[in-house]
Amino acid sequence: MDMKMIDQFILGGAIASLLGFLLLCYTFQGKKKSNRASMEMQRDDYVKNSQDGECQQEIAGNTEIIIVGAGVAGSALACTLGKDGRQVLVIERDLTEPDRIVGELLQPGGYLKLIELGLEDCVNEIDAQRVLGYALFKDGRNARLSYPLKDFHSDVAGRSFHNGRFIQKMREKAASLPNVRMEQGTVTSLLEQKGTIKGVQYKTKTGEEMTACAPLTIVCDGCFSNLRRSLCNPKVDIPSCFVALVLKNCQLPFPNHGHVILANPSPILLYQISSTEIRCLVDVPGQKVPSISNGKMASYLKNMVAPQIPVVIYHAFISAVEEGNIRTMPNRSMPAAPYPTPGALLLGDAFNMRHPLTGGGMTVALSDIVVLRDLFRPLHDFNDAPALCKYLESFYTLRKPVASTINTLAGALYKVFSASSDEARNEMRKACFDYLSLGGIFSNGPIALLSGLNPQPLSLVLHFFAVAIYGVGRLLLPFPSPKRAWLGARLISDACSIIFPILKAEGVRQMFFPATVPSYYRAPPAS
């Protein structure tokens, strides 16, 4: 790399730092809106007064915590709390093995959290595949980006697998604990008395109406949660949908790497989920996708998507389309906006979602569980619901730097990686690919953020604006022109319009200055 380019990066870094600092100052000084009214628990069909039914004593017993949902978050939480000696009741709608098209890639940062929770053996014996980095493809070019793993144990890497197999392993581990009880049933409502959640009402698999009570109910029933309505302000955005296929008996261009194709109109993801299967996720912008039943989807995949697929897996892709096992799922994002509610807590996708492009969902959930476990450990009694609620407000602050970094990166990368009719936005896309292709610190920093190995909010902002400044430098060097200068200014403006709203939704103060939030220092309630 010549000196001119080095100077360009130094200048870009300085400008990016200044922009990041100004952003923080501006947002920190912004108006503070009162949420007192919204903090009051909303009354709806999913919250019922506990006087409508009595807790079943044989179910309640000495139960300390009810967990609603036994997906990744619920199962991992049940294992964790059960190992700490808590009396846990888990109520899950369907205890058979799930069959989902997301939650199949666990980043290295998430695997580290799995180790911290003592659950790393749950990726054994499910034909999980090691993931060592990413491969980016754009306009016939490619770049391999490896996870910065040299300072970690050799076992640390990403893992990709069938989501259902992973969940079943965690469910089995949780159910093997003597103080964890798993029951199949559908929770129909939370039981509330004088503003405090006392438990849940649910239907067993035989249709019998039951109630269960506990000092604390943790709702982690996934992205389709209905119970969240009374516990948070759910502003769900659906920017796109995934169309899913399974490619069989073929090899990816870069083994043990996730593949991201910067296709038109939006990215395509490929990664192995077993030794013989490759998951392909085609992103389709908007909330509507071509119909599968009338053949329009197959035609779209063959004519629009297939020409952008790497040649070595082209025939496997066409075969998967012709086989017809095509599935779709909306991609949801939702900032965490909880109402601190005595007796209840939200977790997982019921609480916070981000675009699944970067595969960060399980990392966020497992990181949240580590934070929650550490907060619970000094507690001997959960019965003082108001005091416990006040104490657990620190959870929402302590989780922010990790969760919001991953959330912001997912939202920003999706917008940058998607094609656009806007010339400035496409310049940003090219700049991002070329910036990552430089390798060294230019790829290690962003990949450390994406993998959850170094989820630092300030590092994210600096790298994001470094990409923007790099794009401006490409436009102005070696000979600037008024047209290129104007395009560079628009590029900076687009970069700001991408990241600033995401940062605002996530909460700048909690992301960058968590120690200034009073709840950061919240002490456990007295026994």
Side-chain angles (χ1 to χ4, degrees):
M1 186 181 298
D2 58 30
M3 290 302 296
K4 182 180 292 185
M5 185 166 287
I6 291 174
D7 290 341
Q8 178 182 335
F9 287 123
I10 293 174
L11 175 62
I15 295 174
S17 300
L18 178 61
L19 285 170
F21 178 74
L22 291 175
L23 161 68
L24 300 182
C25 291
Y26 171 77
T27 312
F28 190 67
Q29 294 298 328
K31 293 182 179 179
K32 297 180 178 179
K33 296 182 179 179
S34 174
N35 290 322
R36 293 286 182 185
S38 64
M39 297 289 278
E40 297 179 2
M41 186 167 50
Q42 296 177 351
R43 302 284 302 179
D44 58 27
D45 292 339
Y46 301 98
V47 180
K48 293 186 179 180
N49 194 296
S50 62
Q51 294 175 353
D52 295 340
E54 296 180 358
C55 290
Q56 302 296 320
Q57 293 301 317
E58 70 275 16
I59 299 296
N62 294 320
T63 300
E64 295 175 274
I65 299 172
I66 296 171
I67 297 175
V68 181
V72 171
S75 300
L77 182 64
C79 287
T80 302
L81 298 180
K83 287 192 295 183
D84 277 0
R86 304 294 184 183
Q87 299 293 325
V88 180
L89 169 64
V90 183
I91 304 173
E92 163 58 35
R93 182 182 58 82
D94 186 357
L95 286 172
T96 59
E97 184 175 310
D99 183 16
R100 299 188 64 203
I101 65 171
V102 292
E104 298 174 319
L105 177 61
L106 179 66
Q107 296 287 4
Y111 184 71
L112 286 173
K113 297 299 179 183
L114 211 62
I115 293 173
E116 196 171 344
L117 295 170
L119 300 174
E120 67 273 20
D121 58 336
C122 291
V123 298
N124 298 337
E125 300 177 358
I126 60 172
D127 200 15
Q129 305 296 301
R130 285 171 60 85
V131 181
L132 303 176
Y134 278 86
L136 288 184
F137 292 77
K138 184 180 185 299
D139 299 333
R141 300 169 56 203
N142 63 71
R144 184 165 64 174
L145 313 171
S146 298
Y147 294 136
L149 298 172
K150 64 178 182 179
D151 295 329
F152 297 93
H153 186 274
S154 59
D155 185 51
V156 176
R159 294 292 193 281
S160 54
F161 39 67
H162 281 272
N163 172 269
R165 297 176 186 174
F166 178 54
I167 288 176
Q168 287 301 90
K169 290 282 282 188
M170 287 199 292
R171 287 176 178 175
E172 290 168 9
K173 189 159 188 170
S176 70
L177 298 171
N179 49 327
V180 176
R181 175 177 175 176
M182 281 210 171
E183 181 160 341
Q184 184 165 306
T186 301
V187 175
T188 55
S189 62
L190 301 174
L191 298 178
E192 177 259 334
Q193 187 177 50
K194 296 180 181 179
T196 298
I197 300 300
K198 296 293 187 178
V200 299
Q201 186 170 345
Y202 67 102
K203 285 185 179 180
T204 66
K205 60 182 178 181
T206 60
E208 184 181 359
E209 290 276 359
M210 300 284 285
T211 59
C213 290
L216 181 63
T217 299
I218 301 179
V219 176
C220 40
D221 54 346
C223 61
F224 299 106
S225 173
N226 289 317
L227 301 177
R228 71 158 70 101
R229 296 182 188 179
S230 56
L231 302 174
C232 75
N233 181 20
K235 296 180 179 178
V236 180
D237 181 37
I238 303 178
S240 65
C241 297
F242 268 156
V243 178
L245 300 164
V246 173
L247 281 55
K248 299 178 180 177
N249 301 314
C250 63
Q251 286 288 331
L252 288 169
F254 296 94
N256 300 110
H257 283 68
H259 290 54
V260 182
I261 303 168
L262 304 190
N264 188 4
S266 52
I268 301 167
L269 306 182
L270 295 151
Y271 48 88
Q272 283 206 251
I273 54 174
S274 75
S275 53
T276 60
E277 298 166 299
I278 293 170
R279 170 66 73 199
C280 176
L281 296 172
V282 178
D283 187 86
V284 178
Q287 299 184 24
K288 293 184 179 180
V289 297
S291 172
I292 296 175
S293 59
N294 64 12
K296 289 185 178 180
M297 176 64 78
S299 176
Y300 174 82
L301 293 173
K302 286 182 179 180
N303 298 323
M304 292 291 295
V305 178
Q308 303 180 77
I309 294 289
V311 175
V312 294
I313 57 172
Y314 175 85
H315 293 295
F317 180 84
I318 294 296
S319 296
V321 174
E322 292 176 345
E323 188 176 308
N325 188 19
I326 303 171
R327 301 171 63 186
T328 64
M329 194 196 79
N331 293 323
R332 294 172 168 82
S333 62
M334 184 183 80
Y339 305 143
T341 305
L345 192 73
L346 277 169
L347 199 69
D349 282 351
F351 167 54
N352 184 204
M353 294 180 281
R354 76 290 311 148
H355 195 286
L357 172 69
T358 58
M362 289 189 288
T363 301
V364 171
L366 294 170
S367 176
D368 284 353
I369 291 169
V370 170
V371 173
L372 206 54
R373 177 202 64 183
D374 294 343
L375 287 172
F376 280 162
R377 279 184 168 168
L379 301 178
H380 302 291
D381 185 3
F382 289 164
N383 284 299
D384 188 345
L388 178 63
C389 178
K390 189 174 181 65
Y391 170 62
L392 290 180
E393 285 182 20
S394 61
F395 167 70
Y396 304 122
T397 301
L398 294 171
R399 70 179 292 274
K400 270 292 181 178
V402 172
S404 293
T405 299
I406 293 172
N407 294 345
T408 303
L409 181 64
L413 269 188
Y414 176 70
K415 291 184 178 181
V416 171
F417 280 178
S418 297
S420 172
S421 58
D422 182 2
E423 189 177 2
R425 183 67 63 87
N426 279 329
E427 284 294 333
M428 183 76 174
R429 191 189 197 205
K430 293 175 186 176
C432 188
F433 179 85
D434 289 345
Y435 181 89
L436 294 172
S437 300
L438 293 171
I441 61 171
F442 306 107
S443 64
N444 286 344
I447 292 301
L449 290 164
L450 183 148
S451 63
L453 294 171
N454 180 38
Q456 297 293 329
L458 186 57
S459 178
L460 166 62
V461 171
L462 292 179
H463 276 289
F464 186 82
F465 280 105
V467 169
I469 298 300
Y470 175 71
V472 174
R474 284 159 37 98
L475 290 169
L476 298 184
L477 296 177
F479 302 111
S481 67
K483 180 181 178 181
R484 285 176 167 266
W486 173 242
L487 187 58
R490 286 175 51 210
L491 191 156
I492 294 293
S493 175
D494 276 357
C496 294
S497 69
I498 288 173
I499 200 166
F500 285 5
I502 303 174
L503 293 176
K504 182 180 178 182
E506 290 292 331
V508 171
R509 185 182 180 189
Q510 289 180 309
M511 276 183 72
F512 295 93
F513 309 108
T516 69
V517 180
S519 62
Y520 185 84
Y521 303 99
R522 203 65 44 88
S527 299

